[in-house]
Amino acid sequence: MKLVKKERKLIKSKERVQHHGEVFTPNWMVKKMLAEPSIQEKLHDLHATFLEPSAGEGAFLIEILDQKLDYVDSISHKNDWCENAIWALMSIYGIELLTDNIVQARHLMINIVTTHYQNFFNKALSNRTDFYKSALFVINTNIVQGNALTYMNDSNLPITFSEWNQVGKNTVKRDEFTYRSLFDDETDDVPQGQLSLFDFDDDQEQEEKSYAICPVTKVYKEIKE
């Protein structure tokens, strides 16, 4: 059974529009933007990264994830679907200012993962499995609260992301870096415009925090070095 995504309201309230400029992108526009051939090529690459710097309730995030998992379904066998699905999840990042939107975006993303799993394996996905715990961990790690224009979150700390480096076939090494480091100009000026939705640079400046290598489907058990 294919997941049916309902058309969401584009405006939650006049107050949110006035205070935050919050107007959501309609589903049809999201699909049209992602239909570009160059983007479709990236959607058929497990490790090609996507970043939405103003995620809202996750319109782009959930469509990207759904299409990436469609690709996972097409290339996987039962013995490697879970690993491929986690790699796909690790490639999707988001920043959102408002906490209620983050909660909803994360909820919708784990629902998509669950639906694809259950369709592929024809059985229910238990939230006690390593796969479910790792999927939820990656979603919660990659979809973060913050202001993309100031590089900071509500705790007045730099927005920080994780880079999930593949080591061997099914193991991962996690390193952390700041959102600010994605920009070439590291001055105190606020960046003009926003980071592209698609693709990080390979030359990302990373912070010194790092984690031990672990199986990709047990990443929630990772131990900091």
Side-chain angles (χ1 to χ4, degrees):
M1 181 177 64
K2 180 69 175 176
L3 179 68
V4 177
K5 295 184 283 295
K6 295 181 180 178
E7 187 65 55
R8 63 184 56 82
K9 292 182 179 179
L10 302 185
I11 295 175
K12 284 189 173 181
S13 70
K14 292 181 180 179
E15 289 76 15
R16 289 171 73 108
V17 175
Q18 292 170 351
H19 294 159
H20 305 292
E22 180 185 77
V23 178
F24 297 136
T25 307
N27 291 341
W28 68 264
M29 186 177 294
V30 172
K31 290 180 179 292
K32 185 173 183 179
M33 292 175 68
L34 295 180
E36 292 292 326
S38 60
I39 298 172
Q40 284 294 307
E41 181 180 354
K42 299 296 186 182
L43 288 168
H44 293 131
D45 180 345
L46 293 180
H47 301 285
T49 52
F50 290 75
L51 169 62
E52 169 55 285
S54 183
E57 290 186 334
F60 280 100
L61 299 176
I62 61 178
E63 185 62 33
I64 289 167
L65 177 58
D66 194 27
Q67 292 194 34
K68 277 215 166 192
L69 290 182
D70 280 342
Y71 175 65
V72 169
D73 293 343
S74 71
I75 66 169
S76 302
H77 302 285
K78 288 187 176 181
N79 64 346
D80 64 1
W81 188 94
C82 290
E83 287 82 0
N84 289 338
I86 296 294
W87 288 124
L89 265 178
M90 286 175 168
S91 73
I92 302 171
Y93 298 81
I95 303 170
E96 170 53 31
L97 181 65
L98 302 177
T99 302
D100 62 329
N101 286 341
I102 295 173
V103 171
Q104 178 67 357
R106 290 171 172 173
H107 172 71
L108 293 172
M109 291 180 75
I110 196 63
N111 281 353
I112 288 177
V113 172
T114 300
T115 298
H116 276 269
Y117 178 97
Q118 293 178 166
N119 288 344
F120 189 85
F121 290 101
N122 195 29
K123 66 178 182 180
L125 172 60
S126 170
N127 59 12
R128 297 181 180 181
T129 61
D130 286 337
F131 170 73
Y132 181 93
K133 291 177 182 179
S134 289
L136 188 61
F137 177 81
V138 172
I139 290 170
N140 289 339
T141 302
N142 280 15
I143 313 305
V144 301
Q145 190 281 326
N147 185 329
L149 297 180
T150 66
Y151 310 107
M152 308 295 284
N153 61 29
D154 280 352
S155 298
N156 202 33
L157 295 172
I159 297 170
T160 302
F161 284 122
S162 293
E163 183 177 23
W164 310 94
N165 297 295
Q166 185 173 3
V167 181
K169 183 178 180 181
N170 292 318
T171 52
V172 63
K173 177 72 165 61
R174 176 185 176 191
D175 295 296
E176 292 185 342
F177 61 94
T178 64
Y179 171 65
R180 187 182 182 95
S181 70
L182 295 175
F183 295 89
D184 292 331
D185 184 0
E186 291 287 327
T187 67
D188 291 332
D189 295 334
V190 174
Q192 298 298 314
Q194 295 179 323
L195 185 68
S196 170
L197 178 66
F198 312 107
D199 291 330
F200 293 160
D201 283 333
D202 290 331
D203 299 326
Q204 293 164 345
E205 177 186 338
Q206 297 178 0
E207 301 212 329
E208 294 182 357
K209 293 181 181 178
S210 63
Y211 298 79
I213 296 172
C214 66
V216 68
T217 53
K218 295 184 179 181
V219 69
Y220 73 97
K221 294 183 175 182
E222 68 185 1
I223 299 174
K224 185 176 288 190
E225 291 184 324

